[in-house]
Amino acid sequence: MKYLKQFLFFVYHQAMSCIFPVSIFLTLAVSKVIQIPFLPRYDFILMSCIFIQWFMVKSKLESMDELKVIFVFHLIGLVLELYKVNIGSWSYPEEAYTKILGVPLYSGFMYASVASYMCQAWRRLKLTLIYWPNRKMVWGLGVIIYVNFFTNYVLPDIRWVLIGLLFILFYRTRVLFTLMNQVYRMPVTLSFFLIGFFIWIAENISTFLGAWQYPNQSNFWQLVHFSKITSWFLLVVITFMIISELKYVKEQLQT
């Protein structure tokens, strides 16, 4: 019974942490079925995302500090989208007023929703990281990971080398989380993979709902290639790094 209660506690707080991404999924689904005259679908999604973000802060489901992290990821995601779309990695085929170089502005919110989930889960489950590696090494590897997203079309893709380095750098690092006053731990690299895997599932749902489109999905929808899990794995690592660094800076300012 104890473990069942803890499991239900975990599921509840995971669900609460997913309010932002789930709301985006619902918006994608609704906009797929209901068309608003004179308002392109992508513009409707952007307006909905802005409202969702406003509601999250207004209702105190998100704090201002969490909003800052989410904003950073909105910019990181938007820059990546601008590059990837313009080299043909994927596309947004529908018309919209709020598109820049082929990228609708709502796309940044999809990255922001990942940061929202992680901030929420961090707070709700009282996450603590132990044996965190040297900060300079973490930041150096994080920068290389992000740069590799841009250079892997003109230079060799070194994602597997980076994943290997991640396992070496974080081999001792554990993430502690609390379920009803009971503390559990897991290797932080396992949490990277699990979050990346579920984002890949969400990506399949998103492409099915027409959020964006890969070249092989132009004629009919197909499953997103499994290799994308590694991309999300690496993006989750960057998210973890930024959130942990911002929390570290905040703690230093308070001491």
Short mmCIF file of all heavy atoms in Angstrom, two decimals, residues 26-70:
data_model
loop_
_atom_site.label_atom_id
_atom_site.label_comp_id
_atom_site.label_asym_id
_atom_site.label_seq_id
_atom_site.Cartn_x
_atom_site.Cartn_y
_atom_site.Cartn_z
N LEU A 26 -3.23 19.72 -26.63
CA LEU A 26 -4.67 19.95 -26.81
C LEU A 26 -4.92 21.05 -27.83
O LEU A 26 -5.84 20.96 -28.66
CB LEU A 26 -5.31 20.32 -25.47
CG LEU A 26 -5.37 19.21 -24.42
CD1 LEU A 26 -5.90 19.75 -23.09
CD2 LEU A 26 -6.25 18.05 -24.91
N THR A 27 -4.09 22.09 -27.80
CA THR A 27 -4.22 23.17 -28.79
C THR A 27 -3.97 22.66 -30.19
O THR A 27 -4.69 23.00 -31.14
CB THR A 27 -3.23 24.30 -28.47
OG1 THR A 27 -3.49 24.80 -27.15
CG2 THR A 27 -3.36 25.44 -29.47
N LEU A 28 -2.95 21.81 -30.35
CA LEU A 28 -2.65 21.23 -31.66
C LEU A 28 -3.83 20.39 -32.15
O LEU A 28 -4.20 20.45 -33.34
CB LEU A 28 -1.38 20.37 -31.58
CG LEU A 28 -0.06 21.09 -31.32
CD1 LEU A 28 1.07 20.10 -31.10
CD2 LEU A 28 0.29 22.02 -32.48
N ALA A 29 -4.39 19.60 -31.25
CA ALA A 29 -5.50 18.73 -31.63
C ALA A 29 -6.74 19.54 -32.01
O ALA A 29 -7.38 19.28 -33.04
CB ALA A 29 -5.83 17.77 -30.49
N VAL A 30 -7.07 20.54 -31.19
CA VAL A 30 -8.25 21.37 -31.46
C VAL A 30 -8.08 22.13 -32.76
O VAL A 30 -9.00 22.20 -33.59
CB VAL A 30 -8.50 22.34 -30.29
CG1 VAL A 30 -9.56 23.38 -30.67
CG2 VAL A 30 -8.95 21.57 -29.05
N SER A 31 -6.90 22.71 -32.97
CA SER A 31 -6.67 23.51 -34.18
C SER A 31 -6.63 22.65 -35.43
O SER A 31 -6.78 23.16 -36.54
CB SER A 31 -5.37 24.30 -34.04
OG SER A 31 -4.26 23.43 -33.94
N LYS A 32 -6.40 21.35 -35.26
CA LYS A 32 -6.42 20.43 -36.40
C LYS A 32 -7.85 20.20 -36.88
O LYS A 32 -8.09 19.98 -38.07
CB LYS A 32 -5.79 19.09 -35.98
CG LYS A 32 -5.62 18.07 -37.09
CD LYS A 32 -4.40 18.36 -37.92
CE LYS A 32 -4.11 17.20 -38.88
NZ LYS A 32 -2.97 17.51 -39.77
N VAL A 33 -8.80 20.28 -35.96
CA VAL A 33 -10.20 19.98 -36.26
C VAL A 33 -11.00 21.25 -36.54
O VAL A 33 -11.81 21.29 -37.48
CB VAL A 33 -10.84 19.20 -35.10
CG1 VAL A 33 -12.32 18.95 -35.37
CG2 VAL A 33 -10.10 17.89 -34.86
N ILE A 34 -10.76 22.27 -35.72
CA ILE A 34 -11.54 23.51 -35.82
C ILE A 34 -10.72 24.59 -36.50
O ILE A 34 -9.64 24.95 -36.02
CB ILE A 34 -12.00 23.98 -34.43
CG1 ILE A 34 -12.85 22.89 -33.75
CG2 ILE A 34 -12.78 25.29 -34.53
CD1 ILE A 34 -13.21 23.23 -32.32
N GLN A 35 -11.20 25.12 -37.58
CA GLN A 35 -10.54 26.19 -38.31
C GLN A 35 -11.24 27.51 -38.02
O GLN A 35 -12.47 27.60 -38.12
CB GLN A 35 -10.55 25.91 -39.81
CG GLN A 35 -9.87 24.61 -40.23
CD GLN A 35 -8.37 24.65 -39.98
OE1 GLN A 35 -7.73 25.67 -40.19
NE2 GLN A 35 -7.83 23.52 -39.54
N ILE A 36 -10.47 28.53 -37.65
CA ILE A 36 -11.03 29.85 -37.38
C ILE A 36 -10.84 30.72 -38.63
O ILE A 36 -9.70 30.89 -39.08
CB ILE A 36 -10.35 30.51 -36.17
CG1 ILE A 36 -10.52 29.62 -34.93
CG2 ILE A 36 -10.92 31.90 -35.92
CD1 ILE A 36 -9.81 30.13 -33.71
N PRO A 37 -11.92 31.27 -39.18
CA PRO A 37 -11.80 32.10 -40.38
C PRO A 37 -10.84 33.27 -40.18
O PRO A 37 -10.86 33.93 -39.14
CB PRO A 37 -13.23 32.59 -40.61
CG PRO A 37 -14.10 31.61 -39.89
CD PRO A 37 -13.30 31.15 -38.71
N PHE A 38 -9.99 33.50 -41.15
CA PHE A 38 -9.05 34.63 -41.19
C PHE A 38 -7.95 34.56 -40.13
O PHE A 38 -7.21 35.53 -39.95
CB PHE A 38 -9.79 35.97 -41.06
CG PHE A 38 -10.94 36.12 -42.02
CD1 PHE A 38 -12.25 36.13 -41.55
CD2 PHE A 38 -10.71 36.20 -43.38
CE1 PHE A 38 -13.31 36.25 -42.43
CE2 PHE A 38 -11.77 36.33 -44.27
CZ PHE A 38 -13.06 36.35 -43.80
N LEU A 39 -7.88 33.44 -39.42
CA LEU A 39 -6.80 33.27 -38.44
C LEU A 39 -6.06 31.97 -38.74
O LEU A 39 -6.56 30.88 -38.43
CB LEU A 39 -7.36 33.23 -37.01
CG LEU A 39 -6.31 33.09 -35.88
CD1 LEU A 39 -5.38 34.29 -35.87
CD2 LEU A 39 -7.01 32.94 -34.53
N PRO A 40 -4.89 32.04 -39.36
CA PRO A 40 -4.14 30.83 -39.67
C PRO A 40 -3.87 29.99 -38.43
O PRO A 40 -3.75 30.51 -37.31
CB PRO A 40 -2.82 31.38 -40.25
CG PRO A 40 -3.19 32.72 -40.80
CD PRO A 40 -4.22 33.26 -39.86
N ARG A 41 -3.78 28.71 -38.65
CA ARG A 41 -3.65 27.77 -37.53
C ARG A 41 -2.43 28.06 -36.66
O ARG A 41 -2.52 28.06 -35.43
CB ARG A 41 -3.57 26.35 -38.09
CG ARG A 41 -3.49 25.27 -37.01
CD ARG A 41 -3.34 23.90 -37.62
NE ARG A 41 -3.29 22.88 -36.60
CZ ARG A 41 -2.48 21.82 -36.65
NH1 ARG A 41 -1.68 21.66 -37.67
NH2 ARG A 41 -2.49 20.92 -35.69
N TYR A 42 -1.28 28.31 -37.30
CA TYR A 42 -0.07 28.56 -36.53
C TYR A 42 -0.20 29.81 -35.66
O TYR A 42 0.34 29.87 -34.54
CB TYR A 42 1.14 28.71 -37.45
CG TYR A 42 1.57 27.44 -38.16
CD1 TYR A 42 2.44 27.48 -39.24
CD2 TYR A 42 1.12 26.18 -37.74
CE1 TYR A 42 2.85 26.33 -39.89
CE2 TYR A 42 1.51 25.03 -38.37
CZ TYR A 42 2.38 25.10 -39.46
OH TYR A 42 2.79 23.96 -40.10
N ASP A 43 -0.91 30.81 -36.14
CA ASP A 43 -1.12 32.03 -35.36
C ASP A 43 -2.03 31.75 -34.17
O ASP A 43 -1.82 32.29 -33.08
CB ASP A 43 -1.72 33.12 -36.25
CG ASP A 43 -0.80 33.51 -37.38
OD1 ASP A 43 0.43 33.53 -37.17
OD2 ASP A 43 -1.29 33.77 -38.49
N PHE A 44 -3.04 30.91 -34.39
CA PHE A 44 -3.93 30.52 -33.28
C PHE A 44 -3.14 29.77 -32.21
O PHE A 44 -3.32 30.00 -31.01
CB PHE A 44 -5.07 29.65 -33.80
CG PHE A 44 -5.87 28.99 -32.72
CD1 PHE A 44 -6.77 29.73 -31.96
CD2 PHE A 44 -5.72 27.63 -32.44
CE1 PHE A 44 -7.51 29.13 -30.94
CE2 PHE A 44 -6.45 27.03 -31.44
CZ PHE A 44 -7.35 27.77 -30.68
N ILE A 45 -2.24 28.89 -32.63
CA ILE A 45 -1.42 28.13 -31.68
C ILE A 45 -0.54 29.07 -30.89
O ILE A 45 -0.38 28.93 -29.66
CB ILE A 45 -0.58 27.06 -32.42
CG1 ILE A 45 -1.48 26.03 -33.08
CG2 ILE A 45 0.38 26.38 -31.45
CD1 ILE A 45 -0.74 25.05 -33.99
N LEU A 46 0.07 30.07 -31.57
CA LEU A 46 0.91 31.05 -30.86
C LEU A 46 0.11 31.81 -29.81
O LEU A 46 0.55 31.95 -28.67
CB LEU A 46 1.52 32.03 -31.86
CG LEU A 46 2.32 33.18 -31.24
CD1 LEU A 46 3.52 32.65 -30.47
CD2 LEU A 46 2.76 34.18 -32.32
N MET A 47 -1.07 32.28 -30.19
CA MET A 47 -1.92 33.01 -29.24
C MET A 47 -2.28 32.13 -28.06
O MET A 47 -2.28 32.58 -26.90
CB MET A 47 -3.17 33.51 -29.96
CG MET A 47 -2.92 34.58 -30.99
SD MET A 47 -4.40 34.95 -31.98
CE MET A 47 -5.52 35.52 -30.71
N SER A 48 -2.56 30.86 -28.32
CA SER A 48 -2.90 29.93 -27.24
C SER A 48 -1.72 29.70 -26.31
O SER A 48 -1.87 29.66 -25.08
CB SER A 48 -3.37 28.60 -27.83
OG SER A 48 -4.51 28.76 -28.64
N CYS A 49 -0.52 29.56 -26.90
CA CYS A 49 0.69 29.35 -26.09
C CYS A 49 0.96 30.54 -25.18
O CYS A 49 1.33 30.37 -24.01
CB CYS A 49 1.89 29.09 -26.99
SG CYS A 49 1.88 27.48 -27.80
N ILE A 50 0.78 31.75 -25.71
CA ILE A 50 0.98 32.95 -24.91
C ILE A 50 -0.02 32.99 -23.75
O ILE A 50 0.34 33.31 -22.61
CB ILE A 50 0.85 34.22 -25.78
CG1 ILE A 50 2.00 34.28 -26.79
CG2 ILE A 50 0.83 35.48 -24.90
CD1 ILE A 50 1.87 35.39 -27.81
N PHE A 51 -1.27 32.63 -24.05
CA PHE A 51 -2.29 32.60 -23.00
C PHE A 51 -1.95 31.55 -21.94
O PHE A 51 -2.08 31.80 -20.74
CB PHE A 51 -3.67 32.33 -23.59
CG PHE A 51 -4.74 32.11 -22.55
CD1 PHE A 51 -5.30 33.20 -21.89
CD2 PHE A 51 -5.16 30.83 -22.21
CE1 PHE A 51 -6.26 33.02 -20.90
CE2 PHE A 51 -6.11 30.64 -21.22
CZ PHE A 51 -6.67 31.74 -20.57
N ILE A 52 -1.53 30.37 -22.40
CA ILE A 52 -1.18 29.30 -21.45
C ILE A 52 -0.05 29.76 -20.54
O ILE A 52 -0.09 29.55 -19.32
CB ILE A 52 -0.78 28.01 -22.21
CG1 ILE A 52 -1.98 27.43 -22.96
CG2 ILE A 52 -0.23 26.97 -21.24
CD1 ILE A 52 -1.60 26.40 -24.00
N GLN A 53 0.98 30.40 -21.14
CA GLN A 53 2.11 30.87 -20.34
C GLN A 53 1.65 31.92 -19.33
O GLN A 53 2.06 31.89 -18.16
CB GLN A 53 3.17 31.46 -21.27
CG GLN A 53 4.44 31.88 -20.55
CD GLN A 53 5.22 30.70 -20.01
OE1 GLN A 53 6.00 30.10 -20.72
NE2 GLN A 53 5.00 30.36 -18.74
N TRP A 54 0.80 32.84 -19.77
CA TRP A 54 0.27 33.87 -18.87
C TRP A 54 -0.52 33.21 -17.72
O TRP A 54 -0.36 33.59 -16.56
CB TRP A 54 -0.64 34.83 -19.64
CG TRP A 54 -1.38 35.80 -18.76
CD1 TRP A 54 -0.93 36.99 -18.27
CD2 TRP A 54 -2.72 35.63 -18.25
NE1 TRP A 54 -1.89 37.58 -17.49
CE2 TRP A 54 -3.00 36.78 -17.46
CE3 TRP A 54 -3.71 34.66 -18.41
CZ2 TRP A 54 -4.22 36.95 -16.82
CZ3 TRP A 54 -4.91 34.83 -17.75
CH2 TRP A 54 -5.16 35.96 -16.98
N PHE A 55 -1.35 32.24 -18.06
CA PHE A 55 -2.16 31.56 -17.04
C PHE A 55 -1.27 30.82 -16.04
O PHE A 55 -1.56 30.84 -14.83
CB PHE A 55 -3.12 30.58 -17.71
CG PHE A 55 -3.89 29.73 -16.73
CD1 PHE A 55 -4.98 30.25 -16.05
CD2 PHE A 55 -3.51 28.41 -16.48
CE1 PHE A 55 -5.68 29.48 -15.13
CE2 PHE A 55 -4.20 27.65 -15.56
CZ PHE A 55 -5.30 28.18 -14.88
N MET A 56 -0.21 30.19 -16.51
CA MET A 56 0.67 29.44 -15.61
C MET A 56 1.29 30.35 -14.57
O MET A 56 1.39 29.99 -13.39
CB MET A 56 1.77 28.75 -16.43
CG MET A 56 1.29 27.65 -17.35
SD MET A 56 0.78 26.14 -16.49
CE MET A 56 2.36 25.51 -15.94
N VAL A 57 1.69 31.54 -14.99
CA VAL A 57 2.30 32.48 -14.05
C VAL A 57 1.25 33.13 -13.17
O VAL A 57 1.42 33.26 -11.95
CB VAL A 57 3.11 33.56 -14.82
CG1 VAL A 57 3.67 34.61 -13.86
CG2 VAL A 57 4.24 32.92 -15.61
N LYS A 58 0.13 33.55 -13.78
CA LYS A 58 -0.92 34.23 -13.04
C LYS A 58 -1.50 33.34 -11.95
O LYS A 58 -1.82 33.81 -10.84
CB LYS A 58 -2.04 34.65 -14.01
CG LYS A 58 -3.12 35.52 -13.40
CD LYS A 58 -2.61 36.91 -13.07
CE LYS A 58 -3.73 37.82 -12.60
NZ LYS A 58 -3.22 39.16 -12.23
N SER A 59 -1.65 32.06 -12.23
CA SER A 59 -2.20 31.12 -11.26
C SER A 59 -1.15 30.59 -10.28
O SER A 59 -1.47 29.74 -9.45
CB SER A 59 -2.86 29.94 -11.99
OG SER A 59 -1.88 29.23 -12.75
N LYS A 60 0.10 31.06 -10.46
CA LYS A 60 1.23 30.66 -9.61
C LYS A 60 1.60 29.19 -9.78
O LYS A 60 2.23 28.59 -8.89
CB LYS A 60 0.95 31.00 -8.14
CG LYS A 60 0.70 32.48 -7.90
CD LYS A 60 0.64 32.81 -6.43
CE LYS A 60 0.31 34.28 -6.20
NZ LYS A 60 1.25 35.20 -6.88
N LEU A 61 1.17 28.59 -10.88
CA LEU A 61 1.66 27.25 -11.20
C LEU A 61 3.13 27.30 -11.58
O LEU A 61 3.86 26.31 -11.46
CB LEU A 61 0.84 26.64 -12.33
CG LEU A 61 -0.58 26.22 -11.97
CD1 LEU A 61 -1.38 25.89 -13.23
CD2 LEU A 61 -0.56 25.01 -11.03
N GLU A 62 3.56 28.48 -12.06
CA GLU A 62 4.98 28.73 -12.35
C GLU A 62 5.40 30.02 -11.67
O GLU A 62 4.63 30.98 -11.62
CB GLU A 62 5.23 28.84 -13.86
CG GLU A 62 5.28 27.51 -14.55
CD GLU A 62 5.51 27.63 -16.05
OE1 GLU A 62 5.45 28.74 -16.58
OE2 GLU A 62 5.74 26.58 -16.67
N SER A 63 6.62 30.01 -11.18
CA SER A 63 7.16 31.20 -10.54
C SER A 63 7.85 32.08 -11.58
O SER A 63 8.10 31.65 -12.71
CB SER A 63 8.15 30.81 -9.45
OG SER A 63 9.31 30.22 -10.03
N MET A 64 8.19 33.29 -11.21
CA MET A 64 8.91 34.18 -12.11
C MET A 64 10.29 33.64 -12.43
O MET A 64 10.79 33.80 -13.54
CB MET A 64 9.00 35.58 -11.50
CG MET A 64 7.67 36.33 -11.42
SD MET A 64 6.84 36.46 -13.04
CE MET A 64 8.02 37.45 -13.95
N ASP A 65 10.93 32.99 -11.45
CA ASP A 65 12.24 32.38 -11.72
C ASP A 65 12.12 31.28 -12.76
O ASP A 65 12.98 31.15 -13.65
CB ASP A 65 12.83 31.80 -10.42
CG ASP A 65 13.37 32.88 -9.50
OD1 ASP A 65 13.62 34.00 -9.99
OD2 ASP A 65 13.54 32.61 -8.30
N GLU A 66 11.07 30.47 -12.66
CA GLU A 66 10.86 29.42 -13.66
C GLU A 66 10.55 30.01 -15.02
O GLU A 66 10.99 29.48 -16.05
CB GLU A 66 9.73 28.50 -13.19
CG GLU A 66 10.12 27.65 -11.98
CD GLU A 66 8.94 26.96 -11.32
OE1 GLU A 66 7.79 27.34 -11.59
OE2 GLU A 66 9.17 26.04 -10.51
N LEU A 67 9.83 31.13 -15.04
CA LEU A 67 9.53 31.80 -16.30
C LEU A 67 10.81 32.27 -16.98
O LEU A 67 10.92 32.19 -18.22
CB LEU A 67 8.61 33.00 -16.05
CG LEU A 67 8.20 33.81 -17.30
CD1 LEU A 67 7.41 32.94 -18.27
CD2 LEU A 67 7.38 35.03 -16.89
N LYS A 68 11.80 32.70 -16.22
CA LYS A 68 13.07 33.13 -16.80
C LYS A 68 13.76 31.96 -17.49
O LYS A 68 14.31 32.12 -18.60
CB LYS A 68 13.97 33.71 -15.71
CG LYS A 68 13.46 35.00 -15.10
CD LYS A 68 14.30 35.41 -13.90
CE LYS A 68 13.69 36.61 -13.18
NZ LYS A 68 14.46 36.95 -11.95
N VAL A 69 13.76 30.79 -16.83
CA VAL A 69 14.36 29.60 -17.45
C VAL A 69 13.63 29.24 -18.73
O VAL A 69 14.25 28.94 -19.76
CB VAL A 69 14.32 28.41 -16.46
CG1 VAL A 69 14.85 27.15 -17.13
CG2 VAL A 69 15.11 28.72 -15.21
N ILE A 70 12.31 29.29 -18.69
CA ILE A 70 11.49 28.94 -19.85
C ILE A 70 11.76 29.90 -21.00
O ILE A 70 11.85 29.50 -22.17
CB ILE A 70 9.99 28.95 -19.45
CG1 ILE A 70 9.71 27.79 -18.50
CG2 ILE A 70 9.09 28.87 -20.68
CD1 ILE A 70 8.37 27.89 -17.80
#
